[in-house]
Amino acid sequence: MLLWFVIIYWIISVAIGLYAATRVHNTKDFAVAGRHLPFYMVTATVFATWFGSETVLGIPATFLKEGLHGVVADPFGSSLCLILVGLFFAAPLYRMNLLTIGDFYKKRFGRSVEVLTTIAIVLSYLGWVGAQISALGLVFNIVSGGDIPVVTGMWIGSATILVYTIFGGMWAVAITDLLQMVIICIGMLYIGGSISGMVGGVGAVVEHAAQTGKLSFWPALDPKEVIGFFAAWITMMLGSIPQQDVFQRVQSAKTEKIAVWGSVLGGSLYFLFAFVPMFLAYSATLIDPQMVAELMASGDAKDTQLILPRLILRPEVPVFAQVMFFGALLSAIKSCASATLLAPSVTFTENILKPMMSHMSDHKLLRTMRVVTLTFTILVTLYAMYSKASIFKMVENAYQVTLVSAFIPLLCGVYWRRATNQGALVSIFLGASVWLSVLIAGPDDPFIPAQLAGLIASAVGMVVGSLMPQLVHHDPHIHDELRSGRHAHAAAAHGVAHEGIGPIHHHEPPPPTHRES
């Protein structure tokens, strides 16, 4: 029954995604849904994109092993990332009226910075998308009773998600995310209520977890532990900010206000619902302690990810509850995978390939984006097949790349008027160099983790490179033009679509011109 449910659900979601493809007529529709998403859809796509396999399988496994202290990166850091984006980055980025996050680096710091940051952003998606593909293979293997091998499940899952993503783009992602958010919320709450009835209620589980020290969050007052805790927290909190999928949700909003509060609400909902899988996983230690002990003792991080599925498949769990759980799990994986397949493909096409091909029409650019999406899907599925890391680690490690190379240029590009092209280049070079040096040649357990050392070096490089005599050309007025959106108005006034986007919408979309009518 579970397998048939998965098949039917899969067919319905693909059909909805293909229906959304009828709204895609150009690159603007494909990349940012034409900037037409209302508040509820922006909130849904922010929430559903981040509520992925690591939230349902990876975070609970890490929580059982290390307690709340071990999941500081996600959900604490990741949810704060979305809230910080809404409060500090959504409004200025929305006013800039760009197609990709790479366009910001190009306009603010020039072509060299655009290429370097785009490469870092695209590489960071390997771990995140790989985690979703790995989880898909695991789910297909479980619901089929082992008849579908994990690797086969990976290819089935990635191929079917690709079908609607490659045709529907951001419209398909947004519409399916809305459906999947509803299923995730209802499914998680329902299964949480079912399991809590088996262990004596939520209070009993929380009390038991507190007694065993699992709810201890803050590190011991030891310098090394405090620094390691802080480094883990900022990895996803700051490293996730300069990401194309986050930027797409900001740019897809109908108005600036929707971009701001959709991100804040989506991040807040993610934080709240991320605790449901942790509650379920800890309940497993009370319901079937032997099963949990065996999986934890194996030493294989991928085995601990099976705790929650094994709990749900127990005979005493009602079949409807099993259907709701796997429906929520599949929704979480699909929403996250489709968004993270689309984001790097769009930014790679727009910021790497497009400048290399002169006079590319919008139709050809759209076709190129689809080809790149196909290619990236194949590459990331191969990566997932051969990766030995756990889902949680694959996601956490992915953001170190953008933390050390892209965050400081974004932060200073938006908020520091004196930041220059030279400063951004020095920032990227120092951040990445120090990070790689500590990873490759540093001790196994350094006093300052590699990503924190890289972030500090990146910040120093930006300040020093911007204040020293300039050897690289820089327009001192570009910061004010970007923040105010004047560059977008000028492009629209001259009849030029700015980086693939039309006239800017500060509050409500402007009425159509006679020609558009």
Side-chain angles (χ1 to χ4, degrees), residues 212-298:
T212 56
K214 294 298 182 185
L215 301 186
S216 176
F217 178 69
W218 299 106
L221 293 178
D222 174 76
K224 188 173 185 303
E225 283 199 35
V226 171
I227 292 174
F229 179 83
F230 177 72
W233 197 333
I234 65 171
T235 298
M236 292 187 71
M237 181 174 69
L238 303 182
S240 304
I241 291 176
Q243 288 285 355
Q244 175 62 16
D245 61 285
V246 176
F247 182 84
Q248 276 179 305
R249 274 129 198 85
V250 169
Q251 292 296 325
S252 299
K254 202 171 186 178
T255 68
E256 182 179 309
K257 185 178 292 186
I258 289 174
V260 171
W261 295 110
S263 297
V264 172
L265 181 57
S268 302
L269 288 174
Y270 172 76
F271 180 76
L272 294 174
F273 275 89
F275 283 91
V276 178
M278 283 190 272
F279 166 79
L280 296 175
Y282 195 82
S283 298
T285 64
L286 304 179
I287 296 172
D288 194 347
Q290 183 178 351
M291 179 269 291
V292 175
E294 289 174 357
L295 292 175
M296 295 289 287
S298 71

Side-chain angles (χ1 to χ4, degrees), residues 19-89:
Y19 166 75
T22 60
R23 295 184 173 219
V24 177
H25 305 292
N26 51 46
T27 53
K28 179 181 174 183
D29 293 332
F30 188 81
V32 292
R35 287 192 124 196
H36 289 317
L37 296 189
F39 178 72
Y40 66 92
M41 290 190 75
V42 172
T43 301
T45 193
V46 167
F47 170 85
T49 297
W50 283 67
F51 202 99
S53 62
E54 74 283 358
T55 314
V56 183
L57 300 177
I59 293 176
T62 305
F63 171 71
L64 289 183
K65 184 179 179 181
E66 304 177 30
L68 280 183
H69 178 84
V71 295
V72 60
D74 194 4
F76 290 92
S78 54
S79 56
L80 272 174
C81 161
L82 297 172
I83 294 171
L84 290 175
V85 166
L87 295 178
F88 299 105
F89 292 94

Side-chain angles (χ1 to χ4, degrees), residues 320-352:
F320 184 71
Q322 295 175 350
V323 168
M324 292 299 291
F325 171 79
F326 283 101
L329 176 56
L330 285 170
S331 295
I333 297 170
K334 285 170 86 304
S335 60
C336 191
S338 59
T340 50
L341 284 176
L342 179 65
S345 304
V346 168
T347 193
F348 183 80
T349 306
E350 171 72 11
N351 301 110
I352 301 295

Side-chain angles (χ1 to χ4, degrees), residues 394-439:
M394 288 172 74
V395 172
E396 184 180 14
N397 293 339
Y399 295 111
Q400 294 189 20
V401 182
T402 46
L403 176 68
V404 302
S405 58
F407 173 70
I408 293 297
L410 175 63
L411 176 67
C412 293
V414 173
Y415 283 104
W416 190 33
R417 193 174 184 275
R418 298 185 65 182
T420 66
N421 300 5
Q422 179 174 281
L425 288 170
V426 176
S427 172
I428 295 169
F429 175 76
L430 283 183
S433 299
V434 170
W435 173 63
L436 288 173
S437 298
V438 176
L439 280 181

Side-chain angles (χ1 to χ4, degrees), residues 50-205:
W50 283 67
F51 202 99
S53 62
E54 74 283 358
T55 314
V56 183
L57 300 177
I59 293 176
T62 305
F63 171 71
L64 289 183
K65 184 179 179 181
E66 304 177 30
L68 280 183
H69 178 84
V71 295
V72 60
D74 194 4
F76 290 92
S78 54
S79 56
L80 272 174
C81 161
L82 297 172
I83 294 171
L84 290 175
V85 166
L87 295 178
F88 299 105
F89 292 94
L93 289 177
Y94 189 86
R95 285 194 294 269
M96 292 177 193
N97 203 27
L98 306 172
L99 187 67
T100 68
I101 188 72
D103 290 340
F104 166 79
Y105 292 108
K106 176 184 178 181
K107 289 291 180 184
R108 184 65 173 85
F109 296 118
R111 173 65 176 161
S112 298
V113 174
E114 173 195 19
V115 171
L116 292 173
T117 52
T118 297
I119 291 173
I121 290 167
V122 170
L123 288 176
S124 73
Y125 278 98
L126 280 175
W128 195 5
V129 189
Q132 313 313 315
I133 302 300
S134 296
L136 280 174
L138 184 67
V139 172
F140 276 113
N141 178 260
I142 291 171
V143 298
S144 68
D147 293 337
I148 299 177
V150 172
V151 172
T152 303
M154 289 182 185
W155 285 107
I156 293 173
S158 60
T160 48
I161 291 173
L162 174 67
V163 168
Y164 69 78
T165 304
I166 202 172
F167 291 108
M170 189 60 194
W171 268 119
V173 170
I175 292 175
T176 54
D177 277 358
L178 179 62
L179 169 68
Q180 287 152 3
M181 176 185 172
V182 174
I183 294 175
I184 289 169
C185 294
I186 295 175
M188 283 291 143
L189 291 176
Y190 181 84
I191 194 66
S194 300
I195 295 298
S196 67
M198 299 169 61
V199 292
V202 175
V205 176

Side-chain angles (χ1 to χ4, degrees), residues 379-392:
L379 291 175
V380 82
T381 305
L382 292 172
Y383 172 82
M385 285 172 55
Y386 296 105
S387 175
K388 302 299 181 184
S390 69
I391 290 173
F392 185 83

